[in-house]
Amino acid sequence: MSSSLPLITLVVGAALGWLAAGLLGVMIPRRGAARGLFLLGALGGLAIAVLGLMAVWQPAEQLTLPLGLPDLPFHLRLDPLAGFFLMLLGGVSAGISVYAAGYFREETGGRLALICLQYHVFLASMAFVILADDAYLFMVAWETMALSSYFLVITDHKLPANRSAGFLYLLIAHLGAISILLCFGVMNGGHGDYTFEALRAARLTPQWSSVAFLLAFFGFGAKAGMIPLHAWLPEAHPAAPSPVSALMSGVMLKTAIYGMVRVIYDLIGGVRWEWGMGVLAIGAGTTLFGVLYALMQHDLKRLLAYHSVENIGIILLGLGMSMVFIGSGHGAAGALGLIAALYHTLNHAVFKGLLFLGAGSILHSTGQRNLNHMGGLIHGMPQTAFYFLVGALAISALPPLNGFVSEWLTFQTALQAPILQNDSVRSLLPLFAATLALAGALTAMCFVKVYGIAFLGRPREARHAAHAAAAGGDAGGWERCGMAWLAAGCCILGLFPVTLLLTLNRVSVSITRAGLSDAALQSNWLWLVPTAPAQASYSPIIFLVVIFSVTLLTFFLVRRFYHGRIRHADPWDCGFPEQTPRMQDSADAFGQPIRHVFGPVYLMQRHLPGPDDAAPRYSLKIEDRHWRWLYLPVARLAEFASSKIALLQQGRISIYLMYSFLTLIALLVFVR
Amino acid sequence: MDQTLIGQFVSLLAAILLLISFAMLSQRRVLTLIKLFAWQGAALAASTAIVAHTTGQPHLYFSAGLTVLLKVMLIPWALHRLIDRLFVRWDVETLINIPATMLIGIGLVIFAFALAAPISHMAGTFTRSTLGIAMASILISFLMMIVRRKAVPQVIGFLAMENGLFFAATSATYGMPLVVELGVALDVLVGTFIFGIFFFHIREQFDSLDIRHMEKLKEE
């Protein structure tokens, strides 16, 4: 299929269409119009996804926009890597936009118009981040993205907590942006040409390229939410409206991964295995930290935010392994690691988007984010419960859904370790794989907790159940459409992994000039073979068929032999008829074993009631250790430094004039 | 006229300019300060006219006329009106006592001449010795802005500084392009009016034009 127009023009057109939709939203501040514009935005997303997928299979295209500063136009480029991320952006945002069309039904006109503008500017800026082919446009789009998402985070700016969450987000986003800017400066080396082509061609000494790597890793890591720069994530995600959380967690974090791959693999080039070890260490820490703290949360959106931290860690593990292999000269294994990381990037975008949308529907129906107050929601909102279950299974990496495929590919990469020559690296890689396995198990536990506490059992607080019933129960039609789209994505990405594997192989070849082994490329639609058939292979479809037939068989056997003997009881009453709903396991209680085992990880303030307490109260507060160890000292240092600098500010005009006078005299003396 | 005679004439006017700068520095009364400012403008206009006559550049006549109109008439008149309205004909307090200020001023003049010496040698114009004087009067006006405590003398200091700049421009390079001069003149005029408006606001806020009150505006 070939069109007369180059793909990149169409993609730019669709991205500008997003901008236009945002502007239209401000000009027509009516609810119906905004709904139409969100749906239009979803169409744009769909178009961008299709175009991106097509672009993966075509040679790179370039375009120069007549915008920007004089003599400094915007350069754009659409290559397979950009195409893949555009597919991610478009595909996931399409579902979220459809959902948003229904979700913002209770907003008033003016606020809705602003949300519509910020939302679409946010989408368009992400598209331009991916398309950018010079550091200038990249930074402009990057900062536009940060600003528009900041305003989306503080949509409910009347709550002080939301404002401070927004501030923290903006602060860390700027730290990251400065680091990225410095990284471009280092790569440029002073010849003044900031197109990516020039940066790619620039030859750096090993020291400087390591400096550039560190700056890029820090800068993009701040946006991605790796430790210790993750602090904004669990604050900003609960503050933002749910579709925005879905977009930020699902897509915006991924632009940071895009930036990492683009800058480290493509622009800096010459990947070294030492870098990979650094990425692996941070990735493993991020993974464990994210999941352990997620288990301790009872705020649903905060919990999901910590899982985003965890999943970024998993992606970093894949990237790190790929760097180790590429740096040691094993292209095929490196390509597999990169493919696993990118695959997980897409998967996480889909299922985390879905989960945040589900959380939004729960929030809408019950007005609750606190898991301890939920329970039995499956009766009031069965469809949301189903979609949420799909997302929960996917994030828990259970086959045949998509989360499994990418984590399995990451494991397969780790199992390539014996080909490495360096003994210490060879023995460390399985350790990282073990971290991943532990995190996977803990994730599954966490989602058993979420699903069990929120949807199963009985309502813990009667008034919330009443609220859910009064609000009309299940999510609206558009919301369900959006969730269904992402749930379908989870299934398709899980059931047909080979198509995506081949697509990603092309991305990998275009970036690292290394692809999978020939045996892997022989994978057919049924069997996924990452390295060689003798080593490992996986068929999700056969898996699905087996699960399906076993379930059907059990169902029929049960109906055949136990029919008519079914006994109804309150859920989870464990045969104890006097139990009240308040006696059910709570979210905090569910995490107790983990809290016990991993005690030193947490900073706990716990108040346990005594045995003879007449009015027993139990309180538990878990704090992030990073706050005390890293953030507060840095904040105090900054405060101290600024209090010293503030001495300059005397408030007397004469003193200020004196400053300029002395500066003038000094300049005249020294620079004449 | 003879070139040397003209050169001496310009030097004389430059000396008057500097003398007036010192007079302004030592003057305590606002009303006299405005008169001195007007005289400085007149000296500036005269020197510009002489340079215009010698070099035969008609646009310098224009800028001389503009100087007379603005700095000798319009701005002093506006300042007079301002102090009438604001009842600020009182004596000016200074931060440093007047003899000390004069000594600093002399130091600045020496500094300015030392600074201007290499440039003056390069400049081929007959007015080259005046560059040091121009810079000295700029620095002295700046000093005046620093040591005055009330807002009106500070503004006069600012305007006097502009006089010095203008003199530097005519003496060293036979004037800037007419467009630039027009722009600067307009800026000064607009600036004066903005200052005037601000004076009223400041007084409304603090019941005084003493800028010490503005120290409260600092963030704690």
Side-chain angles (χ1 to χ4, degrees):
Chain A
M1 173 180 162
S2 69
S3 57
S4 54
L5 275 170
L7 287 178
I8 188 164
T9 320
L10 295 171
V11 173
V12 171
L16 292 178
W18 271 338
L19 277 182
L23 289 177
L24 270 179
V26 174
M27 279 187 265
I28 321 169
R30 279 206 308 273
R31 198 168 301 162
R35 169 168 297 180
L37 287 171
F38 274 115
L39 292 176
L40 218 60
L43 271 184
L46 218 53
I48 282 191
V50 171
L51 292 170
L53 187 59
M54 282 160 67
V56 174
W57 295 99
Q58 290 197 356
E61 293 172 0
Q62 283 179 317
L63 186 72
T64 307
L65 284 189
L67 293 170
L69 293 175
D71 286 337
L72 202 59
F74 288 153
H75 296 86
L76 304 174
R77 186 159 175 270
L78 182 60
D79 63 353
L81 180 66
F84 170 70
F85 274 91
L86 282 174
M87 182 180 89
L88 185 157
L89 164 69
V92 175
S93 73
I96 297 174
S97 292
V98 170
Y99 181 90
Y103 184 82
F104 290 118
R105 58 179 180 263
E106 279 159 21
E107 297 290 345
T108 49
R111 253 169 67 107
L112 186 57
L114 267 187
I115 291 176
C116 182
L117 174 69
Q118 291 155 3
Y119 182 91
H120 286 105
V121 168
F122 185 36
L123 284 180
S125 60
M126 286 194 282
F128 279 108
V129 163
I130 295 168
L131 284 171
D133 195 35
D134 59 33
Y136 170 47
L137 173 60
F138 188 89
M139 289 315 294
V140 169
W142 186 261
E143 289 292 273
T144 312
M145 180 176 90
L147 277 182
S148 51
S149 55
Y150 164 74
F151 284 113
L152 284 168
V153 165
I154 57 160
T155 303
D156 286 318
H157 55 82
K158 297 219 167 73
L159 294 178
N162 289 358
R163 287 200 300 272
S164 62
F167 175 75
L168 184 66
Y169 167 52
L170 201 61
L171 185 72
I172 295 184
H174 273 95
L175 278 183
I178 289 170
S179 178
I180 296 168
L181 199 62
L182 288 177
C183 166
F184 283 132
V186 167
M187 277 195 285
N188 174 265
H191 56 74
D193 187 356
Y194 279 96
T195 57
F196 281 175
E197 210 165 330
L199 297 182
R200 221 172 264 137
R203 287 279 152 260
L204 296 174
T205 61
Q207 290 82 17
W208 279 113
S209 70
S210 288
V211 169
F213 158 75
L214 283 178
L215 285 170
F217 187 52
F218 178 88
F220 290 115
K223 192 62 136 192
M226 71 182 191
I227 54 168
L229 299 164
H230 63 280
W232 63 271
L233 251 149
E235 305 297 326
H237 283 326
S242 294
V244 176
S245 314
L247 207 55
M248 283 176 72
S249 180
V251 187
M252 190 188 74
L253 302 189
K254 307 311 172 319
T255 58
I257 300 295
Y258 165 79
M260 259 185 215
V261 175
R262 171 69 77 200
V263 170
I264 294 172
Y265 284 80
D266 192 15
L267 300 188
I268 301 179
V271 175
R272 297 152 64 91
W273 66 265
E274 292 94 334
W275 302 354
M277 291 311 284
V279 175
L280 276 175
I282 295 266
T286 307
T287 311
L288 267 187
F289 168 85
V291 71
L292 285 177
Y293 271 80
L295 268 163
M296 292 305 116
Q297 306 304 320
H298 50 243
D299 179 333
L300 181 52
K301 288 178 83 176
R302 233 178 139 77
L303 181 147
L304 291 176
Y306 273 113
H307 271 295
S308 295
V309 174
E310 182 228 341
N311 278 285
I312 289 295
I314 294 176
I315 295 169
L316 288 183
L317 282 176
L319 277 184
M321 286 179 196
S322 131
M323 285 183 203
V324 167
F325 282 116
I326 290 179
S328 318
H330 299 285
L336 183 60
L338 183 62
I339 287 170
L342 292 179
Y343 204 141
H344 198 71
T345 308
L346 179 59
N347 287 344
H348 179 243
V350 174
F351 60 63
K352 189 47 71 63
L354 174 58
L355 289 170
F356 264 116
L357 296 186
S361 290
I362 295 175
L363 181 63
H364 242 201
S365 289
T366 64
Q368 268 302 326
R369 291 204 311 245
N370 192 339
L371 283 170
N372 288 335
H373 296 168
M374 297 177 189
L377 292 178
I378 195 167
H379 302 296
M381 30 200 335
Q383 298 208 27
T384 307
F386 173 72
Y387 298 132
F388 199 92
L389 182 64
V390 172
L393 290 178
I395 196 174
S396 307
L398 293 177
L401 291 171
N402 59 352
F404 175 76
V405 182
S406 47
E407 291 199 24
W408 185 72
L409 286 175
T410 314
F411 281 122
Q412 291 302 322
T413 318
L415 291 179
Q416 306 290 308
I419 59 173
L420 289 169
Q421 287 82 24
N422 190 325
D423 285 329
S424 52
V425 177
R426 194 165 54 204
S427 51
L428 275 174
L429 272 199
L431 212 60
F432 292 121
T435 315
L436 181 57
L438 175 62
L442 291 173
T443 307
M445 177 177 177
C446 191
F447 276 90
V448 167
K449 159 183 146 180
V450 172
Y451 203 79
I453 304 280
F455 287 101
L456 306 181
R458 279 180 291 163
R460 280 169 180 71
E461 309 243 334
R463 57 197 168 94
H464 296 310
H467 184 89
D474 214 339
W478 289 119
E479 296 174 43
R480 292 204 301 263
C481 273
M483 287 192 279
W485 166 256
L486 291 178
C490 282
C491 297
I492 290 169
L493 288 173
L495 289 177
F496 305 101
V498 176
T499 327
L500 200 70
L501 187 82
L502 298 179
T503 310
L504 284 171
N505 185 50
R506 206 179 130 70
V507 174
S508 168
V509 169
S510 81
I511 291 293
T512 65
R513 280 161 214 85
L516 292 171
S517 61
D518 290 335
L521 295 179
Q522 298 302 315
S523 302
N524 53 20
W525 63 273
L526 192 58
W527 288 101
L528 171 66
V529 181
T531 44
Q535 275 196 338
S537 53
Y538 164 62
S539 171
I541 295 188
I542 293 179
F543 201 96
L544 180 70
V545 168
V546 170
I547 292 182
F548 207 65
S549 43
V550 167
T551 313
L552 270 186
L553 195 68
T554 319
F555 182 73
F556 280 117
L557 284 177
V558 167
R559 278 190 74 92
R560 176 76 187 76
F561 293 108
Y562 274 89
H563 191 66
R565 285 195 274 160
I566 297 170
R567 189 169 53 87
H568 286 276
D570 282 336
W572 291 10
D573 74 347
C574 303
F576 180 60
E578 301 299 318
Q579 202 187 25
T580 67
R582 300 251 313 145
M583 289 176 178
Q584 295 175 96
D585 217 0
S586 72
D588 287 331
F590 207 94
Q592 195 272 341
I594 299 298
R595 205 155 58 229
H596 206 74
V597 175
F598 291 94
V601 178
Y602 306 111
L603 198 61
M604 270 187 285
Q605 288 176 352
R606 191 164 39 168
H607 173 70
L608 292 171
D612 50 352
D613 203 335
R617 286 231 157 261
Y618 171 80
S619 75
L620 171 70
K621 204 171 156 219
I622 295 205
E623 276 184 79
D624 191 338
R625 281 195 187 280
H626 289 94
W627 278 106
R628 296 238 175 128
W629 289 356
L630 181 71
Y631 286 83
L632 290 181
V634 169
R636 278 196 212 104
L637 193 70
E639 210 168 2
F640 176 76
S642 30
S643 75
K644 290 289 165 241
I645 292 170
L647 291 180
L648 277 178
Q649 190 196 11
Q650 291 285 340
R652 295 172 75 163
I653 292 177
S654 310
I655 304 278
Y656 295 155
L657 284 172
M658 184 78 92
Y659 291 150
S660 13
F661 190 64
L662 292 180
T663 313
L664 180 68
I665 298 276
L667 285 177
L668 284 173
V669 169
F670 293 114
V671 197
R672 62 175 167 171
Chain B
M1 262 194 283
D2 181 17
Q3 280 286 18
T4 43
L5 189 65
I6 290 171
Q8 280 174 356
F9 212 65
V10 171
S11 296
L12 175 69
L13 285 169
I16 289 173
L17 205 75
L18 189 60
L19 196 65
I20 294 176
S21 289
F22 269 105
M24 285 165 96
L25 197 60
S26 64
Q27 185 50 252
R28 284 173 176 277
R29 297 178 62 92
V30 179
L31 211 60
T32 325
L33 214 51
I34 295 173
K35 268 182 200 147
L36 284 172
F37 172 71
W39 278 112
Q40 198 182 34
L44 182 65
S47 81
T48 313
I50 290 170
V51 173
H53 172 76
T54 324
T55 58
Q57 294 188 52
H59 83 264
L60 279 180
Y61 281 120
F62 194 81
S63 73
L66 206 64
T67 308
V68 171
L69 199 70
L70 266 180
K71 287 173 185 162
V72 184
M73 298 173 176
L74 201 57
I75 292 177
W77 173 77
L79 287 172
H80 268 295
R81 265 179 66 95
L82 203 64
I83 62 168
D84 279 346
R85 291 259 191 100
L86 293 167
F87 304 109
V88 284
R89 286 162 172 274
W90 56 68
D91 287 1
V92 182
E93 299 166 58
T94 54
L95 288 176
I96 314 173
N97 64 29
I98 299 231
T101 322
M102 301 290 277
L103 283 177
I104 298 174
I106 291 168
L108 285 178
V109 172
I110 295 167
F111 174 73
F113 269 90
L115 206 64
I119 309 171
S120 298
H121 285 303
M122 283 189 297
T125 62
F126 65 92
T127 53
R128 65 186 176 193
S129 58
T130 54
L131 190 62
I133 292 181
M135 283 181 69
S137 66
I138 294 172
L139 292 177
I140 286 171
S141 308
F142 207 148
L143 183 64
M144 184 175 136
M145 281 176 79
I146 293 174
V147 297
R148 294 302 154 107
R149 199 171 269 174
K150 294 282 194 296
V152 178
Q154 279 195 332
V155 169
I156 296 173
F158 176 76
L159 294 170
M161 199 160 84
E162 206 271 336
N163 273 351
L165 274 176
F166 201 87
F167 186 66
T170 42
S171 66
T173 62
Y174 298 143
M176 300 170 272
L178 188 61
V179 183
V180 180
E181 275 171 20
L182 277 177
V184 171
L186 201 67
D187 274 354
V188 169
L189 195 63
V190 170
T192 315
F193 280 110
I194 291 174
F195 279 130
I197 293 162
F198 265 100
F199 286 156
F200 282 103
H201 279 283
I202 292 169
R203 203 184 52 159
E204 214 164 275
Q205 202 73 37
F206 300 110
D207 283 329
S208 159
L209 277 184
D210 195 328
I211 52 169
R212 266 181 308 178
H213 293 287
M214 288 170 127
E215 287 171 29
K216 285 183 222 155
L217 297 178
K218 186 178 105 168
E219 191 186 12
E220 285 310 324

